[in-house]
């Protein structure tokens, strides 16, 4: 018998005990005093998928599941001291699997020691590129272009890692730099020693805001704003001797460069564009090594938005490439609070000239409160 997620998640039970007495105040801001407040929010992303050749008979398959179930708890203790924590239980019910881990995804404390300059400590998103720093709540596409985000395998959890980060602004320039655990030093008799000196991982991103400064902790894929946003950024990720392959031990190196544009057109219309280029070196015989690119283009007219996105990765290893084309259509009933995002993903993986073409249609209904 599948076990209850509550039974396997003592943290969720504890949170429920604490939060239930708050009643209708659970979603929203609880003001404690002039400086202190507590925010509690819920994110539900329900998905329906239609998959080419997804049924055992080889016909079209279907699947209904919760892509994300998140509880967010965050706020300020003083004017300069804040915190953020969120949980996740991703893909709950996908392929009829309800034994899905419930875990803490983000958990950190922030201190603003100078105007618009913070230090964060805890479980953090690696500050590599704008795309991987976007919040899942505020994506413009259905989901991330994860095929081009290739952090060292086995490091952290879902693009997060334990560490300390400095972030802030110097005029129009935003910066984030973190020292993180990365790959732990391990010594085994039957395999090469990884990170023998147990050195940390360094990740950093710098971006120039030409118009409106993006001060979000998690960037947005679409702003619904009356002010234009235009920024460009570069990032780097490095840890020595972090990866072992058949050819030996290798440094883990990553570079990114990206552009984001959100341009209001008047009459409640908006042009949204983003693109990023990513390059990884994790061993010549590692399929994670190579160069990738992703791009999104959407045009919102009031509550509706057609959009298209593409992601491509050229691996250093022969026949390990990927190409995914995603036309879609969004309906923003209440912006990021309540919306419907759809896409048809047309994908080829492997030898692109001979690979089968996979087709997956996805509709995602989001509720955030």
């Amino acid at each position: 018998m599948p076990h209850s997620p509550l039974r396997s998640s003592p943290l969720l039970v504890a949170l429920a005990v604490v939060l239930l007495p708050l009643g209708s105040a659970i979603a929203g801001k609880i003001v404690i005093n002039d400086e202190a407040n507590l925010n509690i929010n819920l994110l539900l992303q329900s998905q329906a998928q239609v998959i080419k050749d997804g049924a055992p008979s080889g016909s079209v398959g279907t699947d209904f599941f919760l892509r994300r179930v998140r509880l967010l708890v965050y706020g300020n203790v003083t004017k300069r001291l804040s915190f953020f924590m969120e949980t996740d239980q991703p893909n709950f019910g996908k392929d009829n699997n309800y034994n899905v881990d419930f875990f803490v995804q983000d958990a950190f404390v922030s201190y603003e020691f100078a105007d618009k300059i913070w230090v964060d400590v805890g479980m953090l998103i690696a500050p590599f590129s704008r795309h991987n720093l976007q919040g899942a709540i505020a994506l413009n596409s259905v989901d991330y272009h994860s095929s081009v985000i290739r952090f060292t395998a086995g490091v952290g959890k879902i693009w997060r890692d334990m560490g300390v980060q400095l972030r802030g602004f110097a005029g129009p320039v935003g910066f984030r730099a973190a020292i993180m655990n990365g790959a732990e030093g391990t010594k085994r008799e039957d395999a090469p020693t990884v990170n023998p000196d147990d050195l940390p991982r360094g990740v950093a991103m710098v971006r120039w805001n030409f118009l409106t400064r993006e001060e979000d902790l998690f960037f947005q894929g679409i702003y619904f704003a009356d002010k234009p946003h235009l920024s460009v950024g570069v990032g780097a990720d490095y840890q020595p001797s972090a990866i072992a392959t058949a050819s030996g031990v290798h440094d883990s190196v990553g570079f990114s460069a990206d552009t984001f544009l959100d341009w209001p057109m008047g009459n409640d219309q908006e042009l949204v564009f983003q693109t990023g280029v990513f390059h990884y070196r994790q061993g010549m015989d590692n399929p994670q090594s190579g160069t990738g690119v992703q791009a999104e283009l959407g045009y919102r007219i009031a509550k509706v938005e057609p959009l298209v996105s593409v992601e491509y990765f050229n691996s250093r290893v022969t026949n390990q490439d990927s190409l995914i084309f995603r036309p879609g259509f969004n309906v923003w009933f209440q912006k990021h609070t309540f919306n419907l995002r759809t896409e048809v993903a047309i994908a080829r993986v492997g030898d692109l000239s001979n690979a089968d073409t996979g087709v997956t249609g996805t509709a995602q209904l989001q509720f955030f409160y």
Side-chain angles (χ1 to χ4, degrees):
M1 178 183 295
H3 66 270
S4 164
L6 284 176
R7 195 178 304 148
S8 62
S9 308
L11 177 59
L12 183 59
V13 175
L15 285 170
V17 171
V18 172
L19 299 180
L20 282 175
L22 296 176
S24 61
I26 284 180
K29 178 182 286 188
I30 302 170
V31 178
I32 299 171
N33 56 44
D34 291 342
E35 294 185 348
N37 60 77
L38 176 66
N39 299 269
I40 304 168
N41 296 107
L42 174 69
L43 171 66
L44 292 176
Q45 291 180 339
S46 304
Q47 280 195 8
Q49 288 190 332
V50 179
I51 308 114
K52 173 190 171 186
D53 302 329
S57 65
S59 60
V60 173
T62 59
D63 204 1
F64 300 89
F65 59 98
L66 293 178
R67 175 65 184 93
R68 292 180 178 89
V69 184
R70 293 185 179 180
L71 178 68
L72 297 81
V73 181
Y74 59 98
N76 281 74
V77 178
T78 67
K79 182 178 180 181
R80 294 189 177 273
L81 181 62
S82 60
F83 63 93
F84 182 90
M85 188 277 286
E86 74 172 341
T87 67
D88 201 4
Q89 196 162 20
N91 298 323
F92 186 71
K94 185 175 177 65
D95 297 324
N96 207 33
N97 179 19
Y98 295 93
N99 297 321
V100 180
D101 287 343
F102 172 89
F103 55 89
V104 173
Q105 179 158 278
D106 300 273
F108 55 89
V109 174
S110 302
Y111 184 73
E112 186 180 12
F113 62 89
D115 185 42
K116 298 298 181 181
I117 299 179
W118 296 264
V119 60
D120 308 312
V121 179
M123 187 72 162
L124 308 160
I125 299 181
F128 179 57
S129 71
R130 188 187 185 282
H131 183 63
N132 81 277
L133 284 164
Q134 288 182 109
I137 294 165
L139 292 173
N140 197 23
S141 56
V142 170
D143 216 318
Y144 295 96
H145 304 295
S146 55
S147 70
V148 298
I149 305 297
R150 303 201 171 199
F151 294 138
T152 306
V155 165
K157 191 174 183 70
I158 312 181
W159 302 351
R160 276 77 171 171
D161 203 352
M162 290 290 183
V164 57
Q165 171 178 259
L166 180 69
R167 63 180 169 92
F169 295 89
V173 178
F175 59 87
R176 304 188 189 200
I179 298 176
M180 305 179 129
N181 270 340
E184 286 292 312
T186 58
K187 185 175 182 179
R188 293 176 293 183
E189 297 299 329
D190 58 342
T193 299
V194 173
N195 194 7
D197 297 317
D198 204 19
L199 296 174
R201 170 191 183 192
V203 193
M205 183 191 70
V206 177
R207 60 186 316 102
W208 185 283
N209 297 275
F210 291 95
L211 301 169
T212 306
R213 200 164 73 177
E214 289 188 273
E215 297 187 359
D216 305 270
L217 179 59
F218 304 104
F219 295 118
Q220 298 187 37
I222 181 170
Y223 278 95
F224 306 99
D226 56 1
K227 295 180 180 180
H229 295 76
L230 174 62
S231 66
V232 297
V234 293
D237 181 6
Y238 175 74
Q239 188 175 20
S241 304
I243 296 173
T245 69
S247 63
V249 176
H250 311 276
D251 295 350
S252 178
V253 183
F255 299 101
S256 73
D258 59 74
T259 300
F260 175 76
L261 173 68
D262 188 326
W263 195 270
M265 306 294 286
N267 298 318
D268 199 17
Q269 299 182 39
E270 184 176 12
L271 174 70
V272 187
F273 171 75
Q274 66 167 287
T275 188
V277 179
F278 307 84
H279 181 71
Y280 305 93
R281 295 184 180 181
Q282 301 181 13
M284 291 293 289
D285 57 340
N286 188 344
Q288 296 294 96
S289 296
T291 301
V293 61
Q294 66 86 16
E296 291 179 12
L297 177 63
Y299 193 88
R300 182 182 64 83
I301 305 171
K303 295 183 183 295
V304 299
E305 180 196 13
L307 73 160
V308 63
S309 65
V310 63
E311 56 197 87
Y312 168 69
F313 191 82
N314 178 250
S315 175
R316 286 178 175 266
V317 177
T318 304
N319 298 334
Q320 294 292 319
D321 302 337
S322 66
L323 176 63
I324 309 174
F325 179 65
R326 305 175 188 268
F329 190 84
N330 298 340
V331 184
W332 303 102
F333 300 111
Q334 294 184 33
K335 299 180 180 179
H336 295 309
T337 298
F338 184 52
N339 58 66
L340 175 66
R341 285 175 277 176
T342 70
E343 70 172 27
V344 177
I346 304 164
R348 285 193 171 191
V349 179
D351 179 0
L352 299 186
S353 62
N354 296 313
D356 292 335
T357 300
V359 180
T360 302
T362 302
Q364 176 175 280
L365 189 69
Q366 173 171 302
F367 175 76
F368 173 68
Y369 187 63

